[in-house]
Amino acid sequence: MRTQVAIVGAGPAGLMLGRILERAGIDAIILERRSADYVLGRVRAGVLEQGSIELMDEVGIGQRMHHEGLVHHGVELSFDGDPHRLDFQHLIGRHVMVYGQTQVTHDLMDARAASGAQTVYAAEDARLLDFDGEHPRIEYRKDGVTHRIECDFIAGCDGYHGISRASVPLGALETFERVYPFGWLGVLVDRPPVAEELIYAHHERGFALCSMRSPTRSRYYVQVPAAERVEAWSDDRFWDELRARLNPQTAAALRTGVSIEKSIAPLRSFVAEPLRFGRLFLVGDAAHIVPPTGAKGLNLALSDVRVLGAALVEFYGERSAAGIDAYSATVLKRIWKAERFSWWMTSLLHVFPETGAFGRRIQRAEFDYLVGSRVAQQSLAENYTGLLD
Ligand code: FAD
Ligand code: DHB
């Protein structure tokens, strides 16, 4: 097979890049290790920044999002039960949209199926070859047969555990990492959300987040130790722990039920540099991971894609390599700002076993400062709704 851009991974990054290229008349094949149903079955991010909302619109797939997504003008932060609402609209005139990653992926897959663009699912053992020269190629196996794709560029959109970053020669990459000593235990339940907006709660028992997917489906998280096993958490134990971390009024309003998904996600900050090796680009989670506290993972993946998509369109349309040459430096600037914000939100809201009473006093002071300072609130709002640059 021959294509212009071979995309590895059919997560939101790979599918969105495919969509941008398709609309510009650039040929791309997406290779995905799993099945489409498996990709859709993963419950992940829930909040879209304004830039991601705009990108969905620009590529012509925003219709269902505007119909079913929930526009949120603010969030609640609480510290040991003391609540404070941040009104994004009032602070900076911006908002976010609650629209799950599953829905974004669904919309992108539907659009791709309708256009007939090629996606190869269940593609095993992908090997990225010769991307340091003019003629990169990918070999993979499907149904026991080895296939080859020849291409101009490879976009590595295959997530943190993918093959793209692992294909870069040792020594060519520098990595920066922080692993947190806790994870998030998440539960999805078909019950109305406890509140109209998200609640991020710091409590001495640990962090808790009340989120949602729709007016009838809620998503809740509690901080748990890194080594925790999901089997140790019955639904009842989860609801008791969540209630204990919320203020009493919120806890009393919580509508519990049988969980329809329950899983633990580890928390990590990670960046690889640079993000281009000859004709291979690293994009999204393949290049960087943020702890989920700022709701940045999916949004950051989409902002990488916007930059790379425009650079490839420029390359094919104007025969200019300026965009692809600048890709790594351009996206790393934004990546590090999102890393900083996600680290900061994580530091404010979680209980860190090693920092003790001093650390908690500092966290309380940070919260009190935020509550008393419009400037600090504007900074949080600007980062949460998505930096413009
Ligand atoms: P992915 O979504 O990981 O997609 C990569 C794709 O590549 C996958 O479909 C994978 O199967 C495929 N792939 C991997 N290896 C290969 C290979 N060798 N060959 C072919 N295909 C391959 N973010 C938030 O903002 N909020 C959250 O609550 C949140 N929760 C998360 C929970 C978990 C468990 C994880 C892992 C992430 C979570 N994130 C969250 C982060 C967010 O979901 C990611 O940032 C987002 O999915 C990144 O999109 P992506 O397309 O770059 O990568
Ligand atoms: C969700 C996840 C997040 O990490 C976050 O900050 C907000 C919402 C969610 O899954 O709904």
Side-chain angles (χ1 to χ4, degrees):
M1 284 184 276
R2 156 99 213 146
T3 191
Q4 290 174 298
V5 182
I7 299 172
V8 189
L15 288 165
M16 181 59 87
L17 183 62
R19 179 71 182 168
I20 292 172
L21 297 179
E22 182 196 325
R23 283 170 67 86
I26 299 166
D27 191 50
I29 296 176
I30 302 183
L31 275 189
E32 166 60 50
R33 187 173 53 165
R34 305 287 194 167
S35 68
D37 283 345
Y38 182 95
V39 173
L40 283 172
R42 291 186 295 223
V43 181
R44 289 184 169 182
V47 177
L48 297 184
E49 294 175 353
Q50 218 163 295
S52 303
I53 301 169
E54 284 159 14
L55 184 58
M56 293 283 283
D57 285 332
E58 280 165 32
V59 301
I61 58 159
Q63 214 176 353
R64 194 164 71 95
M65 172 188 73
H66 285 293
H67 189 63
E68 295 176 15
L70 307 171
V71 173
H72 279 203
H73 295 291
V75 289
E76 181 181 303
L77 299 188
S78 95
F79 202 101
D80 289 345
D82 298 338
H84 181 79
R85 178 171 187 262
L86 285 168
D87 186 329
F88 302 146
Q89 198 65 36
H90 186 59
L91 288 163
I92 52 162
R94 291 171 69 78
H95 62 263
V96 294
M97 175 92 81
V98 168
Y99 193 64
Q101 177 166 333
T102 309
Q103 307 307 323
V104 173
T105 309
H106 213 296
D107 295 341
L108 285 163
M109 282 182 176
D110 284 355
R112 195 164 177 85
S115 72
Q118 194 179 356
T119 311
V120 181
Y121 286 99
E124 295 166 36
D125 300 334
R127 294 198 306 138
L128 316 191
L129 302 163
D130 295 340
F131 50 82
D132 51 350
E134 294 281 300
H135 303 289
R137 62 200 157 82
I138 301 183
E139 288 179 1
Y140 67 95
R141 273 190 318 112
K142 187 172 161 89
D143 302 327
V145 180
T146 300
H147 300 263
R148 172 193 282 198
I149 301 178
E150 292 172 355
C151 55
D152 301 333
F153 296 102
I154 299 173
C157 304
D158 49 353
Y160 182 69
H161 299 288
I163 191 66
S164 298
R165 196 179 67 255
S167 302
V168 174
L170 228 62
L173 261 187
E174 193 174 0
T175 60
F176 305 84
E177 184 168 36
R178 168 164 299 184
V179 178
Y180 299 87
F182 41 74
W184 281 14
L185 169 63
V187 156
L188 193 66
V189 63
D190 274 328
R191 289 285 183 279
V194 66
E196 279 188 14
E197 292 178 341
L198 270 61
I199 302 173
Y200 289 84
H202 176 114
H203 189 273
E204 62 183 353
R205 297 179 67 89
F207 168 74
L209 170 59
C210 304
S211 182
M212 65 193 74
R213 289 292 177 275
S214 74
T216 57
R217 180 169 285 188
S218 306
R219 179 75 164 156
Y220 296 104
Y221 298 94
V222 294
Q223 174 186 353
V224 292
E228 197 73 2
R229 288 168 46 250
V230 72
E231 296 76 28
W233 287 82
S234 65
D235 287 355
D236 284 345
R237 183 178 174 201
F238 179 87
W239 297 124
D240 287 345
E241 188 59 42
L242 178 62
R243 270 193 219 95
R245 297 181 187 192
L246 301 175
N247 79 40
Q249 262 176 312
T250 310
L254 187 68
R255 305 272 300 271
T256 64
V258 178
S259 64
I260 52 176
E261 197 266 356
K262 195 189 287 162
S263 54
I264 296 180
L267 263 68
R268 169 195 310 272
S269 299
F270 173 86
V271 182
E273 294 184 1
L275 301 180
R276 177 188 176 191
F277 306 89
R279 290 177 166 252
L280 167 67
F281 301 95
L282 300 181
V283 186
D285 275 18
H288 44 75
I289 297 289
V290 287
T293 325
K296 287 282 159 269
L298 168 61
N299 292 296
L300 204 50
L302 293 180
S303 65
D304 289 356
V305 167
R306 180 197 284 279
V307 175
L308 182 59
L312 290 169
V313 170
E314 184 181 308
F315 178 84
Y316 285 109
E318 297 163 31
R319 292 275 137 207
S320 161
I324 58 173
D325 287 346
Y327 168 73
S328 181
T330 305
V331 295
L332 277 165
K333 277 222 162 66
R334 185 184 179 89
I335 289 164
W336 275 109
K337 289 180 194 168
E339 291 284 347
R340 184 206 69 82
F341 177 67
S342 306
W343 161 82
W344 177 80
M345 282 277 279
T346 302
S347 308
L348 171 65
L349 292 167
H350 291 74
V351 171
F352 286 75
E354 72 279 12
T355 57
F358 178 83
R360 290 212 66 234
R361 286 287 199 283
I362 293 288
Q363 288 171 315
R364 178 75 212 198
E366 181 92 48
F367 179 78
D368 290 343
Y369 169 61
L370 190 65
V371 168
S373 165
R374 182 179 166 85
V375 175
Q377 290 174 29
Q378 281 176 321
S379 169
L380 195 159
E382 183 181 44
N383 280 279
Y384 191 88
T385 57
L387 295 174
L388 297 178
D389 201 1

